[in-house]
Amino acid sequence: MTSPLPSSSAAPVLDLAPVVPVVVLEDAADAVPLARALVAGGLPAIEVTLRTPAALDAIREISRSVPEAVVGAGTVITPEQVTACGAAGARFLVSPGWTDVLLTAMRASGLPFLPGVSTTSEVVALLERGVREMKFFPAQAAGGTAYLRSLAGPLPQARFCPTGGIGPDNAPDYLSLPNVVCVGGSWMIPAEAVAARDWLRIEGLARTASYLRAAGGTCR
């Protein structure tokens, strides 16, 4: 199993690139070439969501065969999934929301973790527990850039990776916010490109996404 990143803080993962690709794979055989394409395009942090039966195998294959990728597990909602993802080689964990039970399991794993929030109270509760990096989900439905901008004043210590409804048109708006470190999205992984195994197209889309930092975002 690949060694975890050195801190349970997700900051080292979020600082790698302005975009974290959110990957849903139906076939684990696509995992390695897809990961290689994303890394070649400048997006090394890859979130493989636990939405399909192939997810754990996909994480395992990327961990074994693409060491330059920082592969993580998304849609983690139970302590059992935390354990399974760690065993498969995940190097970080992402949840759509959180409970104390899930937070305890993620912290105990020793892996960097990114718990999901959509309200101010959830943000304050995580800050009380020493967590500064959070996933803002579902970003567009939960208030988008206006909501996040309103949090920057009273809660400047919180840093967000917004995910949900984000694409190339609105990603720069999110990245321009002082409390947004990066965004999550899947627009650089179109389903038809994966089905056609058009890894060069995905690499090109990933490279364009990796330039968003230089295009005006404040991702640090």
Side-chain angles (χ1 to χ4, degrees), residues 95-98 114-124 126 134-139 142 148 151 160:
S95 66
W98 67 277
L114 191 69
V117 298
S118 60
T119 69
T120 306
S121 294
E122 291 172 315
V123 174
V124 172
L126 283 178
M134 309 170 197
K135 172 179 178 173
F136 182 59
F137 177 83
L148 286 173
L151 294 182
F160 299 99

Side-chain angles (χ1 to χ4, degrees), residues 34-46 66 68-70 203 206-207:
L34 175 60
R36 286 176 175 157
L38 293 171
V39 170
L43 302 181
I46 301 169
V66 194
E68 60 272 33
V70 178
E203 180 182 337
R207 183 171 293 109

Side-chain angles (χ1 to χ4, degrees), residues 168-215:
D169 293 334
N170 62 1
D173 296 331
Y174 281 94
L175 289 168
S176 70
L177 299 176
N179 54 353
V180 169
V181 63
C182 61
V183 299
S186 57
W187 73 87
M188 73 298 299
I189 318 166
E192 67 273 14
V194 175
R197 293 177 168 81
D198 190 349
W199 311 125
L200 284 177
R201 179 185 173 195
I202 291 172
E203 180 182 337
L205 291 169
R207 183 171 293 109
T208 299
S210 74
Y211 293 152
L212 286 173
R213 180 185 315 211

Side-chain angles (χ1 to χ4, degrees), residues 20-48:
V20 176
V22 179
V23 176
V24 181
L25 280 173
E26 301 292 341
D27 187 347
D30 293 328
V32 168
L34 175 60
R36 286 176 175 157
L38 293 171
V39 170
L43 302 181
I46 301 169
E47 176 190 337
V48 178

